[in-house]
Amino acid sequence: MATPDKSAFLSGIIEGFYGQPWSPAERLELFDRMVAWGLNTYFYCPKDDWKNRAIWREPYSAAELEALASMVRACATRGIHFVYGLSPGLDIRYSHDDDRQRLIARFEQMLGIGCAHFALLFDDIPDRMEAAELAWFGSLASAQCQVANVVHRWVHERQPAARFLFCPTPYCGRMAERQLGGEGYLETLGRELAPAIDILWTGPEIISREITLDHIQALTRRLRRPPLIWDNLHANDYDGHRFFCGPYSGRPLALKSAVRGILTNPNCELALNFVAFRTLAAFVHAQDSWDPRAAYLAALDEWLPQFATAGAPLSREDVVLLGDCYYLPFEDGAGANSLYVGLRRLLSQPPAQWGPEAAEVHRQVVRLRDVCARLADLRARPLFYAIWRRTWELREEMDLLDRYLTLQRRGPEANQACASDFHLPDTYRGGLVARLQRLLVQQPNGTFLPAPPSPDPLLS
Ligand code: GDL
């Protein structure tokens, strides 16, 4: 049984993204990695596990409960804290006793299979209540506190060492500034939520580039306790074109002593999370200094064997370049960035003025295209299935750039328009979403303006 320690610093993984939850086999693989790397908490709250959110009132069937029980056992035998989270916020009636009883009934099912730690989540829900409920409680925050305190007390009586987590409706700085959940929401939590309850927080934003000590200290005063970080740095459920395999970064090491723990809600595809988890673990155990790039390179060295292919293995350089293309939400890795900058510079000049750097940029384009193509030969098929859609798209772009650069570098005598039989209108970069994306252009300050009119093959 995992030793429930009320003061332990929680470090680990949240399965809390939108989309298909991980499989039992994937979770076992994850738990083994967590043990090897020294992460102590797995938090189960997948958004699209129906019974966690959309139909939270329905009890688990015997088969579902057995599947959860084997997960709880797998964590217990490895000394990992298993936290079970329930999200009733879409339609809970806070004042109704039968809804509270349903929450308790679910937690009772989970206690029955050995689950020791619990969470209630109120993220991504309507921030309004029925008028009668509002009049009864005074605020959404008070309503949530009352329900959470009742359930917490019930759990605590049966499992005194249980950790109990709470995800607020405004769970980041921007939401709090916009007064999501009502004025004074966080202060109400600070006053009314049982002090032992851990409050989850994603930083200044849902996806936070940085989480500073100042930010956390100000929040701690409002919540009257240090928060528990729910980090979305590597989450990719909001963008189907991307995944993130850059290092844990933008957080000072001192953050660890200012919070109750750091949990990361990562890429939906488990196989793409190697660097995310490895570098979080390294951050959690780092003592004196933190160099994200060095941590990234060290993690890639450990990941490299999974890039063995049916033919010649991908080199470390290949994998670093690939990883650099899917680095972090706010940052490309050095190799990807220099390729992009080189291409931009080249394409802004007439080909007659291209110097020797054109050959180097072109060489990198071809190399990246080939790396993407060779991923089809990966021996680690789960990794290939997780990665291929994004890298196929990158391969297409590199292939087109290769054709363009080849043509232009032949010199003025090749003076002909660039066209490609593999990049035809409507199939290449096609579809309504792609067309819609071209209508409004985001400016560097974040605002949107209509794009200058441009030809649309479907309309011409
Ligand atoms: C969210 C959701 C989370 C989702 C993430 C990234 C929290 C507390 N909730 O808002 O489930 O995966 O953004 O899209 O972060």
PDB file of all heavy atoms in Angstrom, residues 16-18 47 123-124 167 171 202 206-207 230 232 235 237-238 265, ligand 1:
ATOM      1  N   GLY A  16      -5.372  13.919 -17.204  1.00  0.00           N
ATOM      2  CA  GLY A  16      -6.485  14.859 -17.037  1.00  0.00           C
ATOM      3  C   GLY A  16      -6.801  15.630 -18.296  1.00  0.00           C
ATOM      4  O   GLY A  16      -7.436  16.679 -18.254  1.00  0.00           O
ATOM      5  N   PHE A  17      -6.379  15.081 -19.435  1.00  0.00           N
ATOM      6  CA  PHE A  17      -6.586  15.791 -20.707  1.00  0.00           C
ATOM      7  C   PHE A  17      -7.902  15.365 -21.361  1.00  0.00           C
ATOM      8  O   PHE A  17      -8.530  14.388 -20.947  1.00  0.00           O
ATOM      9  CB  PHE A  17      -5.408  15.495 -21.661  1.00  0.00           C
ATOM     10  CG  PHE A  17      -5.020  14.042 -21.683  1.00  0.00           C
ATOM     11  CD1 PHE A  17      -5.755  13.111 -22.399  1.00  0.00           C
ATOM     12  CD2 PHE A  17      -3.942  13.592 -20.931  1.00  0.00           C
ATOM     13  CE1 PHE A  17      -5.412  11.767 -22.401  1.00  0.00           C
ATOM     14  CE2 PHE A  17      -3.588  12.243 -20.928  1.00  0.00           C
ATOM     15  CZ  PHE A  17      -4.329  11.334 -21.664  1.00  0.00           C
ATOM     16  N   TYR A  18      -8.301  16.107 -22.383  1.00  0.00           N
ATOM     17  CA  TYR A  18      -9.456  15.750 -23.209  1.00  0.00           C
ATOM     18  C   TYR A  18      -9.012  14.683 -24.210  1.00  0.00           C
ATOM     19  O   TYR A  18      -7.870  14.713 -24.687  1.00  0.00           O
ATOM     20  CB  TYR A  18      -9.974  16.970 -23.973  1.00  0.00           C
ATOM     21  CG  TYR A  18     -10.623  17.993 -23.065  1.00  0.00           C
ATOM     22  CD1 TYR A  18      -9.871  18.997 -22.455  1.00  0.00           C
ATOM     23  CD2 TYR A  18     -11.985  17.930 -22.790  1.00  0.00           C
ATOM     24  CE1 TYR A  18     -10.461  19.922 -21.606  1.00  0.00           C
ATOM     25  CE2 TYR A  18     -12.588  18.854 -21.944  1.00  0.00           C
ATOM     26  CZ  TYR A  18     -11.821  19.848 -21.358  1.00  0.00           C
ATOM     27  OH  TYR A  18     -12.415  20.746 -20.514  1.00  0.00           O
ATOM     28  N   LYS A  47     -10.684  13.594 -18.771  1.00  0.00           N
ATOM     29  CA  LYS A  47     -11.895  14.370 -19.041  1.00  0.00           C
ATOM     30  C   LYS A  47     -12.949  13.534 -19.762  1.00  0.00           C
ATOM     31  O   LYS A  47     -14.140  13.740 -19.596  1.00  0.00           O
ATOM     32  CB  LYS A  47     -11.542  15.579 -19.929  1.00  0.00           C
ATOM     33  CG  LYS A  47     -10.902  16.734 -19.170  1.00  0.00           C
ATOM     34  CD  LYS A  47     -11.947  17.563 -18.464  1.00  0.00           C
ATOM     35  CE  LYS A  47     -11.403  18.815 -17.821  1.00  0.00           C
ATOM     36  NZ  LYS A  47     -10.330  18.627 -16.850  1.00  0.00           N
ATOM     37  N   ASP A 123     -13.097  22.433 -12.864  1.00  0.00           N
ATOM     38  CA  ASP A 123     -12.553  23.196 -13.999  1.00  0.00           C
ATOM     39  C   ASP A 123     -13.428  23.001 -15.234  1.00  0.00           C
ATOM     40  O   ASP A 123     -14.107  21.994 -15.373  1.00  0.00           O
ATOM     41  CB  ASP A 123     -11.109  22.770 -14.304  1.00  0.00           C
ATOM     42  CG  ASP A 123     -10.986  21.275 -14.576  1.00  0.00           C
ATOM     43  OD1 ASP A 123     -11.691  20.496 -13.927  1.00  0.00           O
ATOM     44  OD2 ASP A 123     -10.181  20.889 -15.459  1.00  0.00           O
ATOM     45  N   ASP A 124     -13.367  23.998 -16.115  1.00  0.00           N
ATOM     46  CA  ASP A 124     -14.048  23.955 -17.413  1.00  0.00           C
ATOM     47  C   ASP A 124     -15.539  23.621 -17.282  1.00  0.00           C
ATOM     48  O   ASP A 124     -16.057  22.717 -17.942  1.00  0.00           O
ATOM     49  CB  ASP A 124     -13.362  22.948 -18.353  1.00  0.00           C
ATOM     50  CG  ASP A 124     -11.938  23.366 -18.676  1.00  0.00           C
ATOM     51  OD1 ASP A 124     -11.493  24.405 -18.144  1.00  0.00           O
ATOM     52  OD2 ASP A 124     -11.275  22.677 -19.467  1.00  0.00           O
ATOM     53  N   CYS A 167      -9.876  21.239  -7.610  1.00  0.00           N
ATOM     54  CA  CYS A 167      -9.535  22.106  -8.747  1.00  0.00           C
ATOM     55  C   CYS A 167     -10.580  23.208  -8.851  1.00  0.00           C
ATOM     56  O   CYS A 167     -11.765  22.934  -9.064  1.00  0.00           O
ATOM     57  CB  CYS A 167      -9.471  21.306 -10.049  1.00  0.00           C
ATOM     58  SG  CYS A 167      -8.912  22.344 -11.416  1.00  0.00           S
ATOM     59  N   TYR A 171      -8.734  28.524 -12.419  1.00  0.00           N
ATOM     60  CA  TYR A 171      -7.557  27.753 -11.969  1.00  0.00           C
ATOM     61  C   TYR A 171      -6.249  28.325 -12.504  1.00  0.00           C
ATOM     62  O   TYR A 171      -5.209  27.681 -12.472  1.00  0.00           O
ATOM     63  CB  TYR A 171      -7.695  26.279 -12.352  1.00  0.00           C
ATOM     64  CG  TYR A 171      -8.083  26.039 -13.801  1.00  0.00           C
ATOM     65  CD1 TYR A 171      -7.125  26.009 -14.807  1.00  0.00           C
ATOM     66  CD2 TYR A 171      -9.410  25.858 -14.159  1.00  0.00           C
ATOM     67  CE1 TYR A 171      -7.480  25.798 -16.127  1.00  0.00           C
ATOM     68  CE2 TYR A 171      -9.769  25.658 -15.479  1.00  0.00           C
ATOM     69  CZ  TYR A 171      -8.795  25.626 -16.459  1.00  0.00           C
ATOM     70  OH  TYR A 171      -9.163  25.432 -17.770  1.00  0.00           O
ATOM     71  N   THR A 202      -2.773  26.196 -12.363  1.00  0.00           N
ATOM     72  CA  THR A 202      -1.928  25.994 -13.559  1.00  0.00           C
ATOM     73  C   THR A 202      -0.931  27.126 -13.811  1.00  0.00           C
ATOM     74  O   THR A 202      -0.193  27.077 -14.796  1.00  0.00           O
ATOM     75  CB  THR A 202      -2.792  25.797 -14.829  1.00  0.00           C
ATOM     76  OG1 THR A 202      -3.493  27.016 -15.098  1.00  0.00           O
ATOM     77  CG2 THR A 202      -3.774  24.646 -14.696  1.00  0.00           C
ATOM     78  N   ILE A 206      -3.565  29.100 -18.542  1.00  0.00           N
ATOM     79  CA  ILE A 206      -3.894  27.663 -18.606  1.00  0.00           C
ATOM     80  C   ILE A 206      -2.619  26.906 -18.992  1.00  0.00           C
ATOM     81  O   ILE A 206      -2.260  25.899 -18.392  1.00  0.00           O
ATOM     82  CB  ILE A 206      -5.005  27.395 -19.650  1.00  0.00           C
ATOM     83  CG1 ILE A 206      -6.273  28.160 -19.303  1.00  0.00           C
ATOM     84  CG2 ILE A 206      -5.292  25.897 -19.739  1.00  0.00           C
ATOM     85  CD1 ILE A 206      -7.368  28.081 -20.361  1.00  0.00           C
ATOM     86  N   ILE A 207      -1.956  27.434 -20.022  1.00  0.00           N
ATOM     87  CA  ILE A 207      -0.657  26.905 -20.433  1.00  0.00           C
ATOM     88  C   ILE A 207       0.341  27.997 -20.062  1.00  0.00           C
ATOM     89  O   ILE A 207       0.395  29.031 -20.747  1.00  0.00           O
ATOM     90  CB  ILE A 207      -0.577  26.686 -21.973  1.00  0.00           C
ATOM     91  CG1 ILE A 207      -1.863  26.095 -22.551  1.00  0.00           C
ATOM     92  CG2 ILE A 207       0.687  25.905 -22.351  1.00  0.00           C
ATOM     93  CD1 ILE A 207      -2.156  24.684 -22.203  1.00  0.00           C
ATOM     94  N   TRP A 230      -0.791  22.137 -11.162  1.00  0.00           N
ATOM     95  CA  TRP A 230      -1.289  21.303 -12.284  1.00  0.00           C
ATOM     96  C   TRP A 230      -0.653  21.936 -13.506  1.00  0.00           C
ATOM     97  O   TRP A 230      -1.076  23.008 -13.936  1.00  0.00           O
ATOM     98  CB  TRP A 230      -2.812  21.358 -12.326  1.00  0.00           C
ATOM     99  CG  TRP A 230      -3.478  20.828 -13.576  1.00  0.00           C
ATOM    100  CD1 TRP A 230      -3.162  21.086 -14.884  1.00  0.00           C
ATOM    101  CD2 TRP A 230      -4.602  19.939 -13.632  1.00  0.00           C
ATOM    102  NE1 TRP A 230      -4.002  20.433 -15.736  1.00  0.00           N
ATOM    103  CE2 TRP A 230      -4.905  19.710 -14.994  1.00  0.00           C
ATOM    104  CE3 TRP A 230      -5.404  19.313 -12.676  1.00  0.00           C
ATOM    105  CZ2 TRP A 230      -5.965  18.899 -15.415  1.00  0.00           C
ATOM    106  CZ3 TRP A 230      -6.467  18.505 -13.102  1.00  0.00           C
ATOM    107  CH2 TRP A 230      -6.723  18.304 -14.446  1.00  0.00           C
ATOM    108  N   ASN A 232       0.264  22.402 -17.299  1.00  0.00           N
ATOM    109  CA  ASN A 232      -0.165  22.037 -18.661  1.00  0.00           C
ATOM    110  C   ASN A 232       0.918  22.318 -19.699  1.00  0.00           C
ATOM    111  O   ASN A 232       0.622  22.403 -20.893  1.00  0.00           O
ATOM    112  CB  ASN A 232      -1.420  22.838 -19.047  1.00  0.00           C
ATOM    113  CG  ASN A 232      -2.670  22.316 -18.366  1.00  0.00           C
ATOM    114  OD1 ASN A 232      -2.831  21.110 -18.197  1.00  0.00           O
ATOM    115  ND2 ASN A 232      -3.569  23.213 -17.983  1.00  0.00           N
ATOM    116  N   ALA A 235       0.790  19.742 -22.312  1.00  0.00           N
ATOM    117  CA  ALA A 235      -0.525  19.281 -22.796  1.00  0.00           C
ATOM    118  C   ALA A 235      -0.664  19.633 -24.275  1.00  0.00           C
ATOM    119  O   ALA A 235      -0.211  20.696 -24.714  1.00  0.00           O
ATOM    120  CB  ALA A 235      -1.636  19.945 -21.983  1.00  0.00           C
ATOM    121  N   ASP A 237      -3.812  18.616 -25.998  1.00  0.00           N
ATOM    122  CA  ASP A 237      -5.177  18.315 -26.446  1.00  0.00           C
ATOM    123  C   ASP A 237      -5.832  19.502 -27.137  1.00  0.00           C
ATOM    124  O   ASP A 237      -6.822  19.343 -27.845  1.00  0.00           O
ATOM    125  CB  ASP A 237      -6.045  17.806 -25.269  1.00  0.00           C
ATOM    126  CG  ASP A 237      -6.029  18.733 -24.059  1.00  0.00           C
ATOM    127  OD1 ASP A 237      -5.423  19.824 -24.125  1.00  0.00           O
ATOM    128  OD2 ASP A 237      -6.624  18.360 -23.030  1.00  0.00           O
ATOM    129  N   TYR A 238      -5.283  20.697 -26.985  1.00  0.00           N
ATOM    130  CA  TYR A 238      -5.882  21.886 -27.602  1.00  0.00           C
ATOM    131  C   TYR A 238      -5.379  22.124 -29.022  1.00  0.00           C
ATOM    132  O   TYR A 238      -5.807  23.072 -29.675  1.00  0.00           O
ATOM    133  CB  TYR A 238      -5.625  23.134 -26.737  1.00  0.00           C
ATOM    134  CG  TYR A 238      -4.148  23.422 -26.508  1.00  0.00           C
ATOM    135  CD1 TYR A 238      -3.428  24.201 -27.403  1.00  0.00           C
ATOM    136  CD2 TYR A 238      -3.480  22.893 -25.407  1.00  0.00           C
ATOM    137  CE1 TYR A 238      -2.078  24.450 -27.198  1.00  0.00           C
ATOM    138  CE2 TYR A 238      -2.139  23.134 -25.198  1.00  0.00           C
ATOM    139  CZ  TYR A 238      -1.437  23.911 -26.092  1.00  0.00           C
ATOM    140  OH  TYR A 238      -0.106  24.155 -25.899  1.00  0.00           O
ATOM    141  N   ASN A 265       0.103  17.548 -16.578  1.00  0.00           N
ATOM    142  CA  ASN A 265      -0.958  17.002 -17.429  1.00  0.00           C
ATOM    143  C   ASN A 265      -0.405  17.063 -18.855  1.00  0.00           C
ATOM    144  O   ASN A 265      -0.353  18.131 -19.441  1.00  0.00           O
ATOM    145  CB  ASN A 265      -2.203  17.883 -17.269  1.00  0.00           C
ATOM    146  CG  ASN A 265      -3.343  17.462 -18.180  1.00  0.00           C
ATOM    147  OD1 ASN A 265      -3.662  16.290 -18.277  1.00  0.00           O
ATOM    148  ND2 ASN A 265      -3.942  18.425 -18.871  1.00  0.00           N
TER     149      ASN A 265
HETATM  150  C1  GDL B   1      -7.604  22.745 -19.247  1.00  0.00           C
HETATM  151  C2  GDL B   1      -8.110  21.537 -18.549  1.00  0.00           C
HETATM  152  C3  GDL B   1      -7.318  20.296 -18.893  1.00  0.00           C
HETATM  153  C4  GDL B   1      -6.774  20.342 -20.304  1.00  0.00           C
HETATM  154  C5  GDL B   1      -5.861  21.545 -20.383  1.00  0.00           C
HETATM  155  C6  GDL B   1      -5.143  21.736 -21.721  1.00  0.00           C
HETATM  156  C7  GDL B   1      -7.091  22.213 -16.405  1.00  0.00           C
HETATM  157  C8  GDL B   1      -7.256  22.371 -14.925  1.00  0.00           C
HETATM  158  N1  GDL B   1      -8.150  21.757 -17.096  1.00  0.00           N
HETATM  159  O1  GDL B   1      -8.120  23.788 -19.114  1.00  0.00           O
HETATM  160  O2  GDL B   1      -8.169  19.181 -18.715  1.00  0.00           O
HETATM  161  O3  GDL B   1      -6.085  19.170 -20.621  1.00  0.00           O
HETATM  162  O4  GDL B   1      -6.600  22.710 -20.142  1.00  0.00           O
HETATM  163  O5  GDL B   1      -6.048  21.880 -22.781  1.00  0.00           O
HETATM  164  O6  GDL B   1      -6.048  22.510 -16.912  1.00  0.00           O
END
